[in-house]
């Protein structure tokens, strides 16, 4: 009974952490000024739930069949990976399968040997990738990996990341839309300024022409 009680307390504490992480991500939508700030909050929230020193966010463009990495915190990379088209990395594997994947090094090699994936970058002991889905459409992937421990993650961790992935996807989509609207407004304002300057120049040219015409008549 005491053992069951301890398990229950641990599960409750984990649930509290998950809810807090989701709340922090939701709040970040309003607080963050940029997508990069939002990504950092998401990373911090996920680190409160699982080991996530090595973590990245990938965004999938279905029209281009491409993947790019706006946030990539990984000990094996000094910079963001290049955008990929029709790639065969683990990220694309999750996108094609449409479900969360927890893989160890041996399983990664098996997938590679079967021609299902290409090994890109450093090979971790464990890799956990979760699709970001909105309205049954995959918009990207969040992934954590561990280069040291062979038991860093388990099925419970996969369930937790899968559970909060919807909140992450909504946060990213909303911030992307806000940024797009902001850019459109900025571009519109620039066009208004340019058009105003053009009109002012036209009016000035017309005034000069009119004055010259009057001088010629006189």
């Amino acid at each position: 009974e005491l053992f069951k009680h301890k398990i229950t307390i641990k599960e409750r504490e984990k649930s509290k952490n998950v809810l807090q992480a989701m709340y922090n991500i939701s709040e970040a939508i309003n607080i963050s000024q940029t997508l990069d700030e939002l990504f950092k909050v998401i990373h911090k929230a996920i680190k409160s739930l699982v080991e996530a020193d090595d973590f990245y966010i990938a965004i999938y463009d279905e029209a281009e069949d491409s993947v790019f990495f706006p946030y990539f915190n990984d000990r094996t990379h000094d910079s963001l990976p290049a955008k990929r088209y029709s790639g065969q990395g683990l990220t694309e594997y999750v996108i094609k399968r449409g479900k969360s994947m927890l893989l160890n090094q041996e399983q990664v090699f098996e997938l590679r040997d079967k021609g299902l994936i290409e090994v890109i970058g450093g090979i971790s002991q464990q890799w956990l990738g979760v699709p970001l889905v909105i309205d049954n459409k995959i918009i990207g992937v969040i992934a954590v990996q561990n280069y040291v421990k062979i038991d860093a993650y388990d099925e419970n961790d996969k369930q937790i990341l899968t559970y909060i992935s919807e909140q992450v996807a909504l946060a990213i989509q909303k911030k992307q839309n806000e940024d797009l609207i902001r850019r459109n407004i900025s571009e519109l304002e620039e066009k208004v300024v340019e058009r105003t300057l053009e009109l002012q120049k036209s009016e000035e040219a017309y005034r000069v022409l009119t004055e010259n015409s009057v001088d010629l008549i006189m």
Side-chain angles (χ1 to χ4, degrees):
E1 287 296 324
L2 180 60
F3 179 73
K4 288 182 179 179
H5 180 63
K6 288 181 179 179
I7 292 293
T8 302
I9 291 175
K10 187 176 180 180
E11 288 174 348
R12 285 178 181 173
E13 188 65 30
K14 199 74 172 178
S15 296
K16 261 178 63 177
N17 292 341
V18 170
L19 291 174
Q20 184 63 49
M22 292 178 69
Y23 175 78
N24 292 342
I25 293 169
S26 178
E27 280 291 291
I29 298 172
N30 302 317
I31 298 172
S32 302
Q33 296 297 313
T34 65
L35 268 170
D36 191 54
E37 287 182 14
L38 174 65
F39 294 150
K40 288 176 180 177
V41 172
I42 290 171
H43 186 187
K44 185 177 180 181
I46 288 175
K47 282 182 76 171
S48 71
L49 303 174
V50 302
E51 291 195 41
D53 287 336
D54 299 292
F55 166 81
Y56 69 81
I57 297 172
I59 300 299
Y60 177 59
D61 187 325
E62 186 178 12
E64 291 185 345
D65 191 22
S66 65
V67 174
F68 75 98
F69 304 85
Y71 186 85
F72 205 96
N73 192 306
D74 189 282
R75 72 190 70 186
T76 66
H77 286 71
D78 295 326
S79 59
L80 295 177
K83 186 176 184 178
R84 299 202 297 251
Y85 295 88
S86 302
Q88 278 193 293
L90 286 172
T91 302
E92 290 88 344
Y93 188 66
V94 167
I95 291 169
K96 290 170 185 174
R97 289 177 65 91
K99 64 179 184 179
S100 302
M101 302 289 297
L102 173 58
L103 302 168
N104 59 34
Q105 195 175 95
E106 184 179 345
Q107 290 169 322
V108 170
F109 287 145
E110 287 177 2
L111 291 173
R112 180 199 61 184
D113 294 343
K114 291 177 181 177
L116 296 174
I117 65 162
E118 292 177 3
V119 176
I120 302 171
I123 303 172
S124 55
Q125 292 292 335
Q126 270 195 310
W127 186 90
L128 172 56
V130 177
L132 299 174
V133 183
I134 293 180
D135 297 329
N136 296 318
K137 182 179 179 181
I138 296 177
I139 67 162
V141 170
I142 53 172
V144 294
Q145 49 194 337
N146 197 292
Y147 292 93
V148 180
K149 298 179 181 179
I150 60 175
D151 58 352
Y153 314 112
D154 56 25
E155 286 298 317
N156 186 50
D157 294 321
K158 185 171 80 170
Q159 288 177 8
I160 287 173
L161 286 195
T162 302
Y163 182 71
I164 71 167
S165 65
E166 182 178 354
Q167 186 76 8
V168 172
L170 288 171
I172 291 173
Q173 185 187 59
K174 186 170 182 181
K175 184 57 70 176
Q176 283 179 326
N177 290 340
E178 288 177 358
D179 285 358
L180 179 60
I181 291 170
R182 200 159 29 239
R183 283 199 302 271
N184 288 341
I185 291 173
S186 179
E187 289 173 5
L188 180 60
E189 288 174 345
E190 287 178 6
K191 288 179 181 178
V192 168
V193 171
E194 289 174 4
R195 183 60 180 154
T196 301
L197 290 173
E198 288 174 3
L199 288 172
Q200 288 174 348
K201 289 179 181 178
S202 297
E203 289 173 357
E204 179 65 19
Y206 178 76
R207 185 185 63 78
V208 171
L209 180 62
T210 302
E211 289 177 354
N212 290 339
S213 297
V214 171
D215 289 341
L216 287 173
I217 293 172
M218 294 176 65

